């Protein structure tokens, strides 16, 4: 505060030197910022008051359980806390939204917390609801909620428990028994029974093959009749009781997509840009009647992908666009420079497109557009020169001498003038 006042007083006295005033003002602003930030930031660094916890929202996926079967709820935000479960000073608590208390820890109640998950064995409809997982360490705390819905084991509730999957006709496809992660962890002797429309499948023939030790069912030569309702059942033993774990799947079959070789139709081989400015180079690909889902499109710099070349994200790939014009499909990904620097002039940028039928790439280089700005600057001068040249030539012509020199002036002037609109066209 003392130095602030001194500085201020000196400022008032010195009226002549504007520069000194300016630096003084900047110093005051700096002092203010340091002062204010030391007051606001410091308390936060020490403790997180209980209840002052950042709520990250609801997890996008609702957990589905079936009555009488085990359910595991994973703490959804744990993956943001890298290695947190390995660190002793990170604590994790669960509570259910509609009850004030913590989720009890005790296997005898059938509900317990193990690592970063709640186990409910077996689950009943009363276990449905919103669960909130709180993770905290000495300096930070966050919460996320996850919803559980437990359904009766009846035909009527099947539609609410379906996991949609889809396979392509006339190919070999795989159904996956979903959401078994915690139950199959460290288990190699896993056995899964597959049902189609409640009939146990013969899982070892030419049509169906249940892959031993995995959650997969292979379906050979997928046909329209294969679409419909499947269920897979595995078992889980706890305290001498065997529980079923059932997942219901709705299989949709789809027609094999017609594919054509994709063709890159832009950008041009050289792109003009000014150093220090923002630049966007779209890579546009023509797919014909082919569809975009199976087509990969990406940019490379010096034959390396953009993310690993530009950690600082000065150059990035923009969002992928998929659209149709006159019933023909296109995809597009822009390469965005923010800003262009000299290094870019020596870098080879490549747009690569790939689908099952082929791969195509197009190289492009960025060139400095210096002549462009000179063109603008010189245009009026050229015009004046042209005019003067014309007048001069006119006079010379009258006097019948020195014709050649006059023509030269006219020529250079004309060239400069014309180069200006041509360069604009290139930059587009
Ligand atoms: C918990 O329940 C209350 C009232 O039932 C609701 O307002 C609140 O949004 C719920 N919180 C979460 C995280 O779902
Ligand atoms: C607490 O967790 C946050 C977020 O993961 C981390 O940035 C911070 O360093 C941790 N603090 C301590 C004291 O471990
Ligand atoms: C696949 O099934 C169709 C009928 O759904 C049949 O016409 C075709 O011959 C089968 N292909 C193979 C390779 O088995
Ligand atoms: C578990 O599923 C099998 C069929 O896969 C069935 O026979 C058995 O009764 C089920 N057990 C329970 C407890 O529901
Ligand atoms: C790409 O290679 C050229 C020469 O080989 C080099 O000058 C340039 O800096 C490289 N660009 C990047 C982004 O590494």
């Amino acid at each position: 505060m003392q130095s602030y006042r001194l500085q201020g007083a000196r400022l008032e006295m010195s009226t002549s030197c504007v520069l000194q005033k300016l630096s003084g003002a900047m110093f005051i602003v700096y002092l203010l910022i340091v002062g204010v930030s030391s007051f606001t930031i410091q308390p936060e660094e020490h403790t997180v008051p209980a209840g002052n916890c950042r709520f990250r929202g609801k997890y996008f996926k609702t957990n589905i359980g079936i009555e009488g079967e085990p359910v595991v709820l994973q703490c959804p935000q744990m993956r943001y806390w890298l290695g947190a479960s390995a660190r002793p000073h990170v604590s994790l608590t669960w509570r259910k939204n509609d009850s004030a208390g913590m989720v009890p820890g005790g296997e005898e109640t059938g509900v317990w917390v193990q690592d970063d998950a709640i186990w409910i064995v077996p689950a009943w409809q009363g276990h449905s609801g919103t669960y909130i997982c709180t993770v905290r360490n000495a300096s930070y705390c966050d919460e996320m909620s996850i919803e559980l819905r437990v359904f009766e084991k009846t035909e009527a509730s099947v539609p609410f428990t379906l996991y949609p999957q889809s396979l392509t006709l006339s190919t070999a496809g795989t159904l996956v028994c979903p959401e078994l992660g915690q139950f199959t962890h460290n288990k190699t002797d896993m056995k899964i029974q597959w049902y189609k429309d409640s009939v146990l499948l013969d899982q070892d023939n030419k049509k169906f093959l249940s892959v031993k030790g995995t959650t997969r069912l292979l379906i050979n030569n997928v046909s329209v009749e294969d679409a419909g309702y499947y269920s897979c059942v595995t078992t889980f033993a706890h305290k001498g009781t065997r529980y079923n774990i059932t997942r219901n799947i709705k299989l949709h079959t789809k027609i094999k997509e017609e594919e054509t070789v994709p063709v890159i139709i832009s950008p041009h081989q050289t792109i003009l840009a000014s150093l220090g400015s923002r630049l966007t180079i779209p890579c546009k690909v023509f797919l014909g009647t082919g569809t975009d889902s199976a087509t990969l499109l990406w940019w490379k710099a010096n034959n390396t992908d953009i993310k690993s070349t530009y950690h600082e994200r000065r150059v990035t790939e923009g969002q992928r666009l998929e659209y149709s014009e006159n019933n023909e499909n296109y995809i597009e990904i822009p390469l965005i420079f923010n800003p262009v620097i000299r290094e870019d002039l020596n870098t080879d940028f490549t747009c690569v497109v790939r689908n099952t039928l082929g791969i195509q790439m197009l190289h492009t280089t960025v060139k400095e557009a210096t002549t462009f700005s000179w063109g603008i600057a010189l245009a009026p001068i050229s015009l004046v020169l042209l005019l003067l040249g014309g007048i001069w030539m006119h006079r010379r012509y009258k006097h019948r001498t020195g014709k050649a020199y006059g023509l030269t002036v006219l020529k250079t002037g004309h060239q400069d003038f014309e180069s200006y609109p041509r360069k604009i066209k290139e930059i587009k």
Side-chain angles (χ1 to χ4, degrees), residues 342-410:
R342 190 159 293 282
E343 183 196 65
D344 301 333
L345 308 179
N346 305 316
T347 303
D348 168 47
F349 294 100
T350 315
C351 174
V352 189
V353 64
R354 165 182 212 158
N355 71 3
T356 53
L357 293 183
I359 183 161
Q360 211 203 30
M361 45 183 98
L362 191 137
H363 297 270
T364 192
T365 45
V366 177
K367 288 232 152 55
E368 197 178 357
T370 44
T371 46
F372 170 64
S373 49
W374 274 111
I376 291 179
L378 289 180
I381 300 175
S382 318
L383 200 66
V384 170
L385 280 180
L386 195 71
L387 214 70
L388 286 177
I391 295 167
W392 185 67
M393 213 184 78
H394 182 69
R395 282 191 181 162
R396 277 296 183 137
Y397 180 71
K398 268 189 174 171
H399 294 170
R400 293 161 187 269
T401 46
K403 204 163 115 189
Y405 184 58
L407 271 176
T408 321
V409 172
L410 186 72

Side-chain angles (χ1 to χ4, degrees), residues 55 57-58 95 97-98 130-132 144-145:
F55 183 59
K58 183 177 154 181
R95 67 177 195 277
N97 193 16
D98 57 10
T130 302
Y131 292 77
I132 298 159
M144 210 162 165
S145 68

Side-chain angles (χ1 to χ4, degrees), residues 32-68:
L32 280 176
I33 289 172
V34 168
V36 167
S37 58
S38 68
F39 276 113
T40 53
I41 289 174
Q42 259 175 5
E44 273 189 2
E45 274 176 350
H46 289 304
T47 47
V48 182
N52 185 7
C53 208
R54 187 174 154 224
F55 183 59
R56 281 179 176 271
K58 183 177 154 181
Y59 189 53
F60 71 99
K61 227 157 59 178
T62 294
N63 265 52
I64 291 166
I66 291 172
E67 270 202 328

Side-chain angles (χ1 to χ4, degrees), residues 127-382:
H127 289 120
S128 297
T130 302
Y131 292 77
I132 298 159
C133 180
T134 307
V135 185
R136 73 169 73 229
N137 66 10
S139 62
Y140 184 72
C141 171
D142 69 16
E143 295 188 328
M144 210 162 165
S145 68
I146 183 166
E147 205 183 321
L148 171 66
R149 297 186 68 189
V150 180
F151 293 94
E152 267 184 295
K153 195 177 171 63
T154 59
E155 281 295 311
S157 62
V158 167
F160 303 104
T161 63
L162 290 173
Y163 293 87
Q165 294 188 17
S166 96
L167 294 178
T168 305
L169 290 169
S170 305
T171 62
T174 307
L175 281 187
V176 178
C177 194
E179 308 280 333
L180 290 182
Q182 292 83 10
F183 303 107
T184 58
H185 194 62
N186 289 337
K187 232 173 131 183
T188 49
D189 58 340
M190 190 179 25
K191 239 187 129 217
I192 294 182
Q193 304 269 36
W194 286 88
Y195 298 80
K196 165 117 201 271
D197 302 321
S198 307
V199 178
L200 185 64
L201 287 175
D202 172 11
Q203 291 159 156
D204 217 357
N205 60 13
K206 278 214 174 82
K207 184 69 188 170
F208 298 106
L209 177 67
S210 175
V211 187
K212 295 266 153 16
T214 73
T215 56
R216 300 199 295 269
L217 177 73
L218 293 186
I219 304 181
N220 201 12
N221 190 13
V222 174
S223 67
V224 180
E225 295 82 57
D226 293 334
Y229 298 92
Y230 288 78
S231 53
C232 47
V233 181
T234 187
T235 59
F236 173 76
H238 177 65
K239 289 194 164 174
T241 311
R242 272 201 170 271
Y243 297 94
N244 282 348
I245 302 164
T246 310
R247 302 285 181 254
N248 296 313
I249 297 165
K250 183 176 184 181
L251 175 62
H252 164 81
T253 55
K254 57 183 186 206
I255 296 167
K256 197 172 186 172
E257 286 162 350
E258 292 292 320
E259 275 195 292
T260 50
V261 181
V263 183
I264 301 177
I265 54 176
S266 75
H268 297 293
Q269 273 165 351
T270 54
I271 301 289
L272 294 180
S274 319
L275 297 184
S277 67
R278 213 180 125 97
L279 172 69
T280 299
I281 311 177
C283 179
K284 184 171 174 180
V285 174
F286 173 70
L287 297 176
T289 53
T291 48
D292 38 37
S293 60
T295 308
L296 298 175
L297 176 61
W298 71 97
W299 279 94
K300 283 175 148 187
N302 280 354
N303 213 26
T304 318
D305 72 287
I306 299 296
K307 270 214 187 86
S308 50
T309 308
Y310 302 101
H311 296 290
E312 81 288 3
R313 296 185 56 77
R314 181 181 59 81
V315 179
T316 52
E317 283 178 317
Q319 221 165 23
R320 175 174 161 134
L321 282 178
E322 304 176 343
Y323 54 93
S324 304
E325 285 170 3
N326 304 322
N327 282 329
E328 290 178 323
N329 299 324
Y330 295 86
I331 48 177
E332 199 174 304
I333 290 188
L335 186 66
I336 301 161
F337 298 73
N338 197 6
V340 177
I341 64 169
R342 190 159 293 282
E343 183 196 65
D344 301 333
L345 308 179
N346 305 316
T347 303
D348 168 47
F349 294 100
T350 315
C351 174
V352 189
V353 64
R354 165 182 212 158
N355 71 3
T356 53
L357 293 183
I359 183 161
Q360 211 203 30
M361 45 183 98
L362 191 137
H363 297 270
T364 192
T365 45
V366 177
K367 288 232 152 55
E368 197 178 357
T370 44
T371 46
F372 170 64
S373 49
W374 274 111
I376 291 179
L378 289 180
I381 300 175
S382 318

